[in-house]
Amino acid sequence: TSEDPARPDLIKPIYFPTPYEVVDAMCELGKIGPGDIVHDIGSGDGRLVIRAVKKFGAKKGVGVDINADLGECAPADDAALMPFISSANIACGLHAGSPQQMRETVGMCLAHGVAIGAHPSYLDREHFGRRDMDVSASEVYALVQYQIGALQAIAKGQDGQVTHVKPHGALYNRAAVDTTTADAIAQAIADIDRELLLVGLANSELLAAGRRS
């Protein structure tokens, strides 16, 4: 927590992902093992159910995450959604948003315990990132790293942490079917932080690329 110097009686909550050693202790306490199905309501970045399956051998993990794309419109609209979501994908300035709006949206996420995610796109503010573009794999890699890095810096400045990445619009759609684009996105993420979760369509090229990276 951090206190507002002007109001020492108020405590501002700070969201941060549950440390893996705590997740492991929870799984050990619950005696998670083969054959178990683990549910986590409001799972955030999903690390509990993922850990339960990968490390403790659970048969299946089911995480319920209420997710929204934010930082793209009026801050008041985002603020109204905050009490009802568990994770957010924040526009990083290339299709919508701005450094100031990113900062404000991160602050709202931290105040409400909402997991922070990057929402990188093509450089296409005119069409809100919805126009398919002929961009090389090298350019896609650089665009994704640039946007994630910007959001990570803003989050770190508020004692926050980026936990996941979900590409936006046309970039997301192309990565679902195009191996070259998908590999560029997945590698860009892995080269920054292999603990970042990659969000994509089920059975898509993007998720296959994430498993390869």
Side-chain angles (χ1 to χ4, degrees):
T1 62
S2 63
E3 296 184 3
D4 181 351
R7 290 292 306 277
D9 57 313
L10 296 180
I11 299 296
K12 177 185 176 183
I14 297 295
Y15 168 81
F16 61 93
T18 304
Y20 280 108
E21 56 266 28
V22 176
V23 173
D24 289 349
M26 293 166 66
C27 290
E28 290 167 0
L29 184 64
K31 298 181 179 179
I32 302 301
D36 289 331
I37 298 177
V38 179
H39 290 77
D40 185 14
I41 308 300
S43 60
D45 66 5
R47 63 181 55 196
L48 173 59
V49 292
I50 293 171
R51 197 75 161 184
V53 172
K54 285 190 171 183
K55 183 171 182 178
F56 292 86
K59 178 180 179 181
K60 184 177 182 181
V62 180
V64 179
D65 176 37
I66 303 174
N67 176 269
D69 298 341
L70 301 181
E72 298 175 332
C73 54
D77 293 335
D78 289 351
L81 282 174
M82 284 292 172
F84 306 104
I85 63 176
S86 52
S87 70
N89 317 309
I90 300 176
C92 299
L94 297 195
H95 73 277
S98 66
Q100 179 62 23
Q101 191 165 6
M102 291 164 68
R103 184 174 182 276
E104 292 174 356
T105 307
V106 165
M108 287 190 283
C109 287
L110 293 173
H112 288 83
V114 172
I116 299 166
H119 201 33
S121 69
Y122 289 127
L123 177 54
D124 181 29
R125 291 184 69 90
E126 182 180 359
H127 299 279
F128 196 66
R130 300 287 184 189
R131 176 182 58 175
D132 191 29
M133 302 179 71
D134 187 15
V135 176
S136 70
S138 177
E139 289 177 284
V140 169
Y141 179 96
L143 285 168
V144 170
Q145 283 209 331
Y146 173 83
Q147 293 173 84
I148 295 172
L151 187 63
Q152 284 181 319
I154 288 173
K156 184 177 180 180
Q158 300 182 65
D159 297 324
Q161 180 181 344
V162 176
T163 62
H164 66 277
V165 180
K166 180 191 175 188
H168 167 80
L171 181 60
Y172 182 78
N173 292 337
R174 176 173 279 218
V177 297
D178 181 66
T179 302
T180 300
T181 301
D183 281 338
I185 293 171
Q187 195 60 54
I189 296 168
D191 287 347
I192 290 177
D193 183 354
R194 301 191 69 85
E195 295 297 334
L196 286 171
L197 295 177
L198 173 59
V199 180
L201 289 172
N203 303 314
S204 66
E205 290 296 331
L206 182 58
L207 294 190
R211 289 188 286 270
R212 289 192 295 271
S213 65

